[in-house]
Amino acid sequence: LEQFVVDSTFGPSELILEAGSDDATLGAGSGGGVLLHLGEGAPPVTLAGFILRGSVVLNSTDTNSRLHIRNCTWLAGSQPRRRALASSHERHSGLVVEAGRAELRRVEFLLFHTSALVVRGGDVTVSDGIFAYNQAERGAAAQVMAGMLTIIRGVIEHNVAHLAGG
């Protein structure tokens, strides 16, 4: 996929993508960029059963917009250079929430070289999730700058942040 944008111009009232096999992958190309962008007015979106290679960005204050992700594993793309890390979290983080509501169940964030999950606003709940072997300058597993992150029955292990968090 090249950057797939879902916003108020998207026709269907809901988007559900469910994997048909255990090794089904959704990827944003070799650069590991933005796979899916949910903008203002986006309908509810569900992703289920995928290996995800690329960022999902949620930025919608619309009460109907919400993101559900279940049984997915995020694997980082290629290892970015340190300069790229400073300039673009969205390119390499798994999930970036600017605004809106995201519910994740049985998800894994593995091997990121920047914050695996970034919360700049909105409300994110992760149930039965795993954050492992991520590295970043700050907040390797998750970096919360605004909004709320709730982790229920989560495993956070072997994450390394060089300046803060880990």
Side-chain angles (χ1 to χ4, degrees):
L1 290 173
E2 293 298 322
Q3 185 173 354
F4 187 57
V5 177
V6 179
D7 58 18
S8 61
T9 63
F10 189 75
S13 59
E14 185 171 10
L15 174 63
I16 300 171
L17 298 175
E18 192 161 349
S21 67
D22 290 342
D23 62 348
T25 301
L26 286 178
S30 62
V34 176
L35 169 67
L36 177 63
H37 186 274
L38 303 174
E40 198 63 49
V45 173
T46 300
L47 300 176
F50 288 101
I51 297 169
L52 300 169
R53 293 186 179 275
S55 295
V56 174
V57 178
L58 174 59
N59 189 10
S60 178
T61 58
D62 188 309
T63 56
N64 188 46
S65 297
R66 64 187 179 281
L67 175 63
H68 295 278
I69 300 176
R70 67 179 189 275
N71 302 327
C72 287
T73 298
W74 256 289
L75 292 174
S78 59
Q79 181 173 354
R81 293 185 316 267
R82 189 174 292 264
R83 189 176 333 188
L85 287 175
S87 64
S88 178
H89 273 293
E90 290 84 2
R91 179 175 295 170
H92 302 287
S93 293
L95 176 62
V96 178
V97 178
E98 301 279 349
R101 181 168 178 76
E103 295 178 12
L104 290 72
R105 182 166 287 219
R106 292 180 304 280
V107 297
E108 298 179 11
F109 291 88
L110 306 173
L111 303 168
F112 281 88
H113 294 277
T114 188
S115 301
L117 170 62
V118 175
V119 181
R120 294 190 184 128
D123 186 2
V124 180
T125 301
V126 180
S127 300
D128 303 307
I130 297 173
F131 296 82
Y133 300 100
N134 302 297
Q135 297 180 34
E137 291 297 314
R138 297 179 184 277
Q143 187 177 113
V144 181
M145 294 174 250
M148 182 181 297
L149 171 61
T150 303
I151 299 176
I152 303 166
R153 294 179 308 277
V155 175
I156 301 172
E157 62 183 5
H158 304 292
N159 296 284
V160 176
H162 304 286
L163 296 178

